[in-house]
Amino acid sequence: MEKTRIQHIDITRGIAIICIILGHLGNAHINSVVFTFHVPVFFFITGYFTNTNLCIKDFIKNKTRTLLVPYVFTSFLIILLGTLEYLVFVDKTASWQALTGWLYAAIYGAGDSYSSPFYIKAIGSLWFLWASFWSSIFLRCLLNTKKTAARIVIVLVLFIAGYWSRALFWFPLSIQAGCCATLFLYIGYLFHNSEDIFKKFPKELKTFITIFALLTWLSFIKNFQSFWLVHCDIGRGIIDIFGCICGCYIIILISLYIKKHIPIISKALSFLGKYSIFMLSIHSIELNTLPWWQLTQLLVKYGMPGYLQLYSVIFGKFTVIILGTIICANWNLPRKIFGISPCPIKSRQ
């Protein structure tokens, strides 16, 4: 049976995965909003639900099953489709280069391409699965340490190591991003442990905290420069980390409001959040293999107003991703591959 789910957390995941997709459009105005929270909130939620009941060995097995198996399977599809694309539309030589290029990208596991000290081809948004794998293991291991001061020191050392080393060399399998992400997992874990205390705060104090967090997040958006965890880039430093945490908090509150007051949107977003791993994988495939901008440029050529091109790309992407997610969610084979419980059998009337 499936574990009991928390609907507003699934809604938060749904909002975040939509924003991740929007963040890959290359639009500066969209990026100044979504990059302030979309990936960190996933890490925050992971930390919130970190299972300390499993021993470290079983914990690693679980994360391998739920994160790395989907990574390998999705990478295989990207390699296959990327190679076929060049074989059909270019030639055999180009298809061989595509095959070796994508294979290299999948093995290296980098979220972006690098040219120094040697060329590294990006696998794209799948970097998140490797970063989640490392950060989850780092957090689970440090939670075995009973001393609070030691835990904090370890989290900070990991964060500094990931941030500092990025300027020297980008290591395989997004381990540096995992080091930096551990901070957000740890914050999520701390929030889980202090949630009951927060609930006892006076209403006035909660209201003040919410307004302060909202204003801080809006200030972060207004003054956004960069905040790319894929690069371990934290923008202006501590002030942007704090702004990001405030953004995650506000998004969770928005999710709670949607759950209580907008049932139709709540149901749709919670579905997308529940199957966000499918959305991420399908998005990674279409992002690497479908030339959306070239395709929609043809529409512009045949009379579509140029200002509609961005909206056409968004419509195309979400149509493919959402339809693909619905199919995968109702098909036991992809659910089994991704480590998701089989579809429940509906009782006959």
Side-chain angles (χ1 to χ4, degrees):
M1 295 181 65
E2 288 189 291
K3 296 179 180 179
T4 302
R5 305 192 67 88
I6 302 176
Q7 189 177 17
H8 75 273
I9 295 298
D10 278 337
I11 293 171
T12 301
R13 288 192 181 101
I15 293 171
I17 192 63
I18 288 172
C19 290
I20 285 175
I21 296 166
L22 293 175
H24 291 143
L25 293 169
N27 184 284
H29 297 294
I30 293 175
N31 289 355
S32 65
V33 178
V34 301
F35 274 90
T36 61
F37 73 90
H38 65 353
V39 171
V41 79
F42 270 109
F43 291 129
F44 181 92
I45 292 171
T46 300
Y48 183 93
F49 288 107
T50 294
N51 187 350
T52 55
N53 295 323
L54 288 176
C55 67
I56 292 177
K57 181 180 179 181
D58 289 340
F59 185 87
I60 294 174
K61 285 182 179 179
N62 176 263
K63 291 299 176 181
T64 300
R65 180 68 187 87
T66 57
L67 294 173
L68 300 192
V69 171
Y71 177 88
V72 171
F73 179 75
T74 307
S75 295
F76 169 76
L77 291 180
I78 291 172
I79 293 168
L80 177 63
L81 295 175
T83 302
L84 288 175
E85 180 182 11
Y86 276 82
L87 183 62
V88 172
F89 295 105
V90 189
D91 54 42
K92 290 184 179 179
T93 302
S95 67
W96 175 253
Q97 293 173 345
L99 171 62
T100 55
W102 283 121
L103 184 60
Y104 170 44
I107 293 172
Y108 209 93
D112 204 352
S113 297
Y114 296 86
S115 57
S116 179
F118 52 83
Y119 177 67
I120 300 171
K121 181 178 174 63
I123 191 60
S125 54
L126 288 182
W127 73 272
F128 172 80
L129 298 180
W130 271 114
S132 295
F133 176 77
W134 295 119
S135 57
S136 296
I137 292 174
F138 292 152
L139 178 66
R140 179 63 189 87
C141 289
L142 73 87
L143 290 180
N144 272 10
T145 304
K146 301 302 180 182
K147 294 182 179 180
T148 301
R151 291 181 177 183
I152 295 172
V153 169
I154 293 170
V155 170
L156 294 178
V157 167
L158 284 170
F159 185 87
I160 293 170
Y163 177 77
W164 177 77
S165 63
R166 71 189 178 115
L168 301 176
F169 178 72
W170 193 255
F171 293 109
L173 308 181
S174 295
I175 191 168
Q176 288 145 297
C179 288
C180 287
T182 306
L183 173 65
F184 295 96
L185 267 76
Y186 185 58
I187 293 170
Y189 170 80
L190 292 178
F191 184 80
H192 187 196
N193 286 349
S194 60
E195 193 172 15
D196 290 338
I197 298 174
F198 181 78
K199 288 178 180 178
K200 296 178 182 178
F201 285 180
K203 184 177 180 180
E204 185 176 358
L205 179 57
K206 290 180 182 178
T207 302
F208 175 80
I209 291 172
T210 300
I211 294 173
F212 181 80
L214 176 61
L215 293 176
T216 302
W217 182 39
L218 292 175
S219 176
F220 183 20
I221 293 171
K222 182 177 182 295
N223 299 288
F224 182 82
Q225 295 177 6
S226 64
F227 200 83
W228 330 114
L229 285 186
V230 64
H231 300 294
C232 297
D233 179 353
I234 56 170
R236 297 172 296 170
I238 294 175
I239 186 173
D240 280 354
I241 293 174
F242 183 66
C244 173
I245 294 168
C246 289
C248 293
Y249 173 69
I250 294 299
I251 292 298
I252 291 172
L253 290 184
I254 291 172
S255 299
L256 279 167
Y257 180 85
I258 292 172
K259 173 191 172 184
K260 293 179 181 178
H261 302 288
I262 318 178
I264 295 177
I265 296 178
S266 171
K267 185 176 180 180
L269 287 175
S270 60
F271 172 83
L272 299 182
K274 181 179 180 180
Y275 297 110
S276 56
I277 184 67
F278 286 144
M279 291 191 71
L280 177 68
S281 296
I282 297 168
H283 172 51
S284 298
I285 294 169
E286 59 85 13
L287 187 66
N288 286 319
T289 60
L290 292 178
W292 291 108
W293 292 100
Q294 291 90 326
L295 292 173
T296 53
Q297 186 60 40
L298 293 175
L299 297 177
V300 173
K301 182 179 178 181
Y302 287 103
M304 184 183 76
Y307 67 87
L308 290 179
Q309 186 176 10
L310 174 62
Y311 302 105
S312 299
V313 171
I314 293 172
F315 177 79
K317 280 177 172 287
F318 278 101
T319 299
V320 169
I321 293 168
I322 292 175
L323 286 178
T325 300
I326 292 172
I327 292 170
C328 290
N330 291 281
W331 186 8
N332 279 333
L333 178 59
R335 292 177 69 102
K336 183 176 181 180
I337 293 171
F338 280 68
I340 300 174
S341 300
C343 297
I345 300 174
K346 296 181 180 179
S347 58
R348 296 183 179 178
Q349 298 296 326

